[in-house]
Amino acid sequence: MLTVDIITLFPEIIEFVISRSVTGRAIKKKFLDIEYHQLREFTDDRHKRVDGKPYGGGKGMLLKAEPIFKCFEFICNCRKIIPKLIYMSPKGKVLTQQKAKELTNNSNICILCGHYEGIDERIITSIVNEQISIGEYVLTGGEIPALVLLDTMFRLVPGVLSDNECFEDESFYNGKTLEYPQYTRPYNWRENKVPDVLLSGNHKEIKNWKTKNSDYDSE
Protein backbone atom coordinates (compact mmCIF):
# COMPACT_ATOMS: atom_id res chain seq x y z
CA MET A 1 0.00 0.00 0.00
CA LEU A 2 1.17 3.51 -0.81
CA THR A 3 0.47 6.02 1.93
CA VAL A 4 0.21 9.69 0.94
CA ASP A 5 -0.36 12.77 3.08
CA ILE A 6 -1.16 16.08 1.42
CA ILE A 7 -0.60 19.48 3.04
CA THR A 8 -2.77 22.11 1.39
CA LEU A 9 -4.99 25.13 1.85
CA PHE A 10 -7.60 23.50 -0.39
CA PRO A 11 -7.97 19.81 0.54
CA GLU A 12 -11.45 19.71 -0.97
CA ILE A 13 -10.03 20.34 -4.46
CA ILE A 14 -7.67 17.37 -4.32
CA GLU A 15 -10.11 15.09 -2.53
CA PHE A 16 -12.85 15.79 -5.08
CA VAL A 17 -10.66 14.54 -7.93
CA ILE A 18 -8.84 11.70 -6.17
CA SER A 19 -11.97 10.17 -4.66
CA ARG A 20 -13.42 9.44 -8.09
CA SER A 21 -12.84 6.97 -10.92
CA VAL A 22 -9.91 4.53 -10.74
CA THR A 23 -8.20 6.13 -7.75
CA GLY A 24 -11.45 6.30 -5.79
CA ARG A 25 -11.95 2.55 -6.23
CA ALA A 26 -8.31 1.91 -5.28
CA ILE A 27 -8.78 3.81 -2.02
CA LYS A 28 -11.86 1.77 -1.17
CA LYS A 29 -9.94 -1.44 -1.89
CA LYS A 30 -7.08 -0.29 0.39
CA PHE A 31 -4.44 -0.11 -2.33
CA LEU A 32 -3.97 3.55 -1.44
CA ASP A 33 -4.15 5.39 1.86
CA ILE A 34 -4.59 9.15 1.49
CA GLU A 35 -4.99 11.82 4.15
CA TYR A 36 -5.66 15.51 3.50
CA HIS A 37 -4.37 18.13 5.94
CA GLN A 38 -5.76 21.66 6.06
CA LEU A 39 -2.77 23.88 6.78
CA ARG A 40 -4.91 26.49 8.57
CA GLU A 41 -5.56 23.99 11.36
CA PHE A 42 -1.92 24.24 12.39
CA THR A 43 -1.64 27.98 12.97
CA ASP A 44 -1.97 29.79 16.29
CA ASP A 45 -3.31 32.88 14.54
CA ARG A 46 -6.87 33.50 15.69
CA HIS A 47 -7.86 34.47 12.15
CA LYS A 48 -6.30 31.27 10.78
CA ARG A 49 -3.79 33.19 8.71
CA VAL A 50 -0.84 31.13 7.51
CA ASP A 51 0.87 33.70 5.28
CA GLY A 52 3.05 36.75 5.81
CA LYS A 53 4.89 39.47 3.92
CA PRO A 54 8.39 38.55 2.77
CA TYR A 55 11.41 40.19 4.39
CA GLY A 56 13.19 42.56 2.02
CA GLY A 57 9.99 43.56 0.30
CA GLY A 58 8.40 42.20 -2.82
CA LYS A 59 4.92 41.51 -4.08
CA GLY A 60 2.65 38.84 -2.67
CA MET A 61 2.69 36.75 0.47
CA LEU A 62 4.58 33.66 1.61
CA LEU A 63 3.34 30.66 3.54
CA LYS A 64 4.88 30.78 7.01
CA ALA A 65 7.29 28.13 8.21
CA GLU A 66 5.71 27.25 11.56
CA PRO A 67 2.27 25.99 10.39
CA ILE A 68 3.92 23.82 7.73
CA PHE A 69 6.43 22.43 10.23
CA LYS A 70 3.73 21.69 12.80
CA CYS A 71 1.56 19.97 10.19
CA PHE A 72 4.45 17.79 9.01
CA GLU A 73 5.35 17.00 12.61
CA PHE A 74 1.74 15.93 13.20
CA ILE A 75 1.87 13.65 10.16
CA CYS A 76 5.13 12.07 11.32
CA ASN A 77 3.69 11.40 14.76
CA CYS A 78 0.51 9.87 13.32
CA ARG A 79 2.33 7.68 10.80
CA LYS A 80 5.13 6.74 13.22
CA ILE A 81 7.54 7.39 10.37
CA ILE A 82 9.11 10.36 8.59
CA PRO A 83 7.65 10.33 5.06
CA LYS A 84 9.48 11.66 2.02
CA LEU A 85 8.39 15.29 1.76
CA ILE A 86 7.87 16.63 -1.76
CA TYR A 87 7.25 20.31 -2.43
CA MET A 88 5.47 21.14 -5.69
CA SER A 89 7.50 24.02 -7.06
CA PRO A 90 8.38 25.50 -10.48
CA LYS A 91 12.01 25.44 -9.23
CA GLY A 92 11.96 21.65 -8.96
CA LYS A 93 12.98 18.99 -11.45
CA VAL A 94 10.34 18.41 -14.11
CA LEU A 95 8.17 15.37 -13.47
CA THR A 96 8.80 12.38 -15.75
CA GLN A 97 7.40 8.89 -15.92
CA GLN A 98 10.70 7.57 -14.57
CA LYS A 99 10.49 9.89 -11.58
CA ALA A 100 6.94 8.71 -10.88
CA LYS A 101 8.16 5.10 -10.93
CA GLU A 102 10.96 5.98 -8.50
CA LEU A 103 8.56 7.68 -6.10
CA THR A 104 6.30 4.63 -5.90
CA ASN A 105 9.23 2.77 -4.33
CA ASN A 106 8.52 4.84 -1.21
CA SER A 107 5.80 3.51 1.08
CA ASN A 108 5.13 6.91 2.68
CA ILE A 109 5.05 10.21 0.84
CA CYS A 110 3.95 13.68 1.89
CA ILE A 111 3.17 16.37 -0.68
CA LEU A 112 3.29 20.05 0.19
CA CYS A 113 1.19 22.38 -1.96
CA GLY A 114 2.47 25.93 -1.96
CA HIS A 115 0.38 29.01 -2.55
CA TYR A 116 0.72 32.76 -2.99
CA GLU A 117 4.40 33.52 -3.78
CA GLY A 118 5.69 30.27 -2.29
CA ILE A 119 6.87 29.18 1.14
CA ASP A 120 9.47 30.25 3.67
CA GLU A 121 12.86 29.01 2.39
CA ARG A 122 13.69 27.56 5.81
CA ILE A 123 11.10 24.84 5.28
CA ILE A 124 12.80 23.85 2.02
CA THR A 125 16.25 23.71 3.60
CA SER A 126 15.14 21.91 6.78
CA ILE A 127 12.48 19.29 5.96
CA VAL A 128 11.77 19.16 2.20
CA ASN A 129 13.42 16.15 0.53
CA GLU A 130 12.66 16.98 -3.07
CA GLN A 131 11.09 19.69 -5.21
CA ILE A 132 9.08 18.66 -8.28
CA SER A 133 7.68 20.76 -11.12
CA ILE A 134 5.17 19.84 -13.81
CA GLY A 135 6.48 22.43 -16.25
CA GLU A 136 8.01 25.83 -16.77
CA TYR A 137 4.99 27.99 -16.05
CA VAL A 138 3.35 29.56 -13.01
CA LEU A 139 0.11 28.37 -11.41
CA THR A 140 -1.92 29.88 -8.58
CA GLY A 141 -1.13 27.06 -6.18
CA GLY A 142 0.35 23.61 -5.84
CA GLU A 143 -2.91 21.68 -5.89
CA ILE A 144 -3.09 21.10 -9.65
CA PRO A 145 0.59 20.04 -9.86
CA ALA A 146 -0.01 17.72 -6.91
CA LEU A 147 -2.95 16.12 -8.72
CA VAL A 148 -0.79 15.54 -11.80
CA LEU A 149 1.90 13.89 -9.68
CA LEU A 150 -0.61 11.78 -7.76
CA ASP A 151 -2.41 10.56 -10.87
CA THR A 152 0.91 9.61 -12.51
CA MET A 153 2.08 7.74 -9.41
CA PHE A 154 -1.17 6.01 -8.49
CA ARG A 155 -1.46 4.29 -11.86
CA LEU A 156 1.79 2.50 -11.10
CA VAL A 157 0.75 1.11 -7.72
CA PRO A 158 -0.02 -2.63 -7.92
CA GLY A 159 -3.75 -3.25 -7.81
CA VAL A 160 -4.86 0.24 -8.80
CA LEU A 161 -5.29 -0.74 -12.45
CA SER A 162 -6.86 -4.07 -13.33
CA ASP A 163 -3.81 -5.23 -15.30
CA ASN A 164 -0.17 -4.13 -15.24
CA GLU A 165 -0.27 -4.03 -19.02
CA CYS A 166 -2.57 -1.04 -18.68
CA PHE A 167 0.44 1.08 -17.73
CA GLU A 168 3.41 -0.99 -18.91
CA ASP A 169 2.27 -0.57 -22.50
CA GLU A 170 1.65 3.17 -22.17
CA SER A 171 3.65 6.14 -23.37
CA PHE A 172 7.01 6.71 -21.67
CA TYR A 173 6.80 3.64 -19.39
CA ASN A 174 9.75 1.86 -20.97
CA GLY A 175 11.66 4.93 -22.10
CA LYS A 176 10.81 7.80 -24.42
CA THR A 177 8.34 5.87 -26.54
CA LEU A 178 4.92 7.29 -27.33
CA GLU A 179 1.97 5.03 -27.95
CA TYR A 180 1.14 3.58 -31.35
CA PRO A 181 -2.10 4.63 -33.12
CA GLN A 182 -5.18 2.90 -31.75
CA TYR A 183 -8.62 2.21 -33.23
CA THR A 184 -12.02 0.92 -32.17
CA ARG A 185 -15.31 0.04 -33.92
CA PRO A 186 -16.51 0.63 -36.56
CA TYR A 187 -13.88 -0.85 -38.88
CA ASN A 188 -14.77 1.62 -41.63
CA TRP A 189 -15.44 5.11 -40.33
CA ARG A 190 -16.19 7.72 -43.02
CA GLU A 191 -14.10 5.79 -45.58
CA ASN A 192 -11.20 5.62 -43.12
CA LYS A 193 -10.42 1.97 -42.36
CA VAL A 194 -8.57 0.30 -39.52
CA PRO A 195 -5.18 -1.17 -40.63
CA ASP A 196 -5.79 -4.76 -41.70
CA VAL A 197 -2.89 -6.13 -39.65
CA LEU A 198 -4.81 -5.30 -36.45
CA LEU A 199 -7.61 -7.64 -37.55
CA SER A 200 -5.29 -10.41 -38.72
CA GLY A 201 -5.04 -12.28 -35.44
CA ASN A 202 -1.30 -12.66 -36.00
CA HIS A 203 0.08 -11.52 -32.66
CA LYS A 204 3.68 -11.33 -33.87
CA GLU A 205 2.78 -9.14 -36.83
CA ILE A 206 0.55 -6.98 -34.65
CA LYS A 207 3.36 -6.50 -32.12
CA ASN A 208 5.79 -5.59 -34.89
CA TRP A 209 3.28 -3.11 -36.32
CA LYS A 210 2.81 -1.49 -32.93
CA THR A 211 6.57 -1.16 -32.41
CA LYS A 212 7.11 0.24 -35.89
CA ASN A 213 4.31 2.78 -35.48
CA SER A 214 5.27 3.97 -32.02
CA ASP A 215 6.69 7.47 -31.91
CA TYR A 216 10.06 8.00 -30.29
CA ASP A 217 11.35 11.11 -28.61
CA SER A 218 14.11 12.49 -30.81
CA GLU A 219 16.27 13.64 -27.89
Side-chain angles (χ1 to χ4, degrees):
M1 177 189 292
L2 176 62
T3 297
V4 179
D5 289 274
I6 304 167
I7 302 173
T8 172
L9 290 174
F10 301 98
E12 65 279 3
I13 293 176
I14 299 178
E15 185 174 11
F16 178 83
V17 177
I18 295 299
S19 63
R20 283 157 172 76
S21 189
V22 173
T23 50
R25 292 194 296 270
I27 293 170
K28 291 180 180 178
K29 293 180 179 179
K30 308 297 184 183
F31 293 120
L32 302 171
D33 179 12
I34 307 174
E35 294 292 337
Y36 309 91
H37 305 274
Q38 169 56 262
L39 186 60
R40 296 188 190 280
E41 295 178 2
F42 296 88
T43 178
D44 295 326
D45 185 280
R46 63 192 182 103
H47 298 294
K48 297 298 181 181
R49 286 188 292 250
V50 293
D51 60 317
K53 295 180 179 180
Y55 281 113
K59 295 181 179 180
M61 307 286 276
L62 292 176
L63 290 179
K64 294 182 177 180
E66 187 63 12
I68 296 173
F69 186 86
K70 289 173 67 175
C71 183
F72 186 64
E73 189 175 50
F74 171 81
I75 292 168
C76 293
N77 290 334
C78 290
R79 297 294 189 186
K80 308 299 182 186
I81 193 172
I82 300 176
K84 181 182 182 70
L85 180 57
I86 298 169
Y87 172 46
M88 305 306 301
S89 166
K91 294 181 180 180
K93 292 183 178 180
V94 177
L95 175 64
T96 64
Q97 187 72 11
Q98 183 59 40
K99 171 54 66 175
K101 288 165 64 177
E102 291 175 7
L103 291 175
T104 56
N105 292 328
N106 298 274
S107 57
N108 293 79
I109 289 176
C110 181
I111 299 176
L112 171 60
C113 301
H115 210 66
Y116 309 117
E117 294 302 309
I119 66 175
D120 192 303
E121 183 69 17
R122 290 168 290 187
I123 285 294
I124 296 174
T125 57
S126 60
I127 61 174
V128 168
N129 298 115
E130 187 169 1
Q131 298 184 67
I132 293 181
S133 167
I134 63 166
E136 296 181 348
Y137 42 83
V138 180
L139 297 172
T140 303
E143 284 72 25
I144 292 176
L147 283 169
V148 172
L149 174 60
L150 290 169
D151 190 82
T152 306
M153 286 173 49
F154 288 167
R155 296 173 61 81
L156 304 176
V157 175
V160 172
L161 300 183
S162 58
D163 191 330
N164 285 349
E165 288 187 4
C166 290
F167 62 78
E168 289 177 354
D169 203 32
E170 287 183 330
S171 302
F172 305 116
Y173 183 81
N174 292 309
K176 293 188 175 182
T177 309
L178 298 176
E179 281 190 290
Y180 45 81
Q182 298 186 78
Y183 307 85
T184 188
R185 292 177 175 78
Y187 164 69
N188 188 346
W189 178 74
R190 296 177 181 264
E191 305 305 319
N192 192 341
K193 298 178 181 179
V194 176
D196 289 335
V197 64
L198 298 180
L199 286 74
S200 68
N202 188 319
H203 297 295
K204 183 177 180 180
E205 288 187 7
I206 291 173
K207 184 176 181 180
N208 289 338
W209 181 92
K210 289 180 178 180
T211 301
K212 182 180 178 180
N213 287 275
S214 295
D215 290 327
Y216 290 85
D217 194 315
S218 60
E219 292 182 2

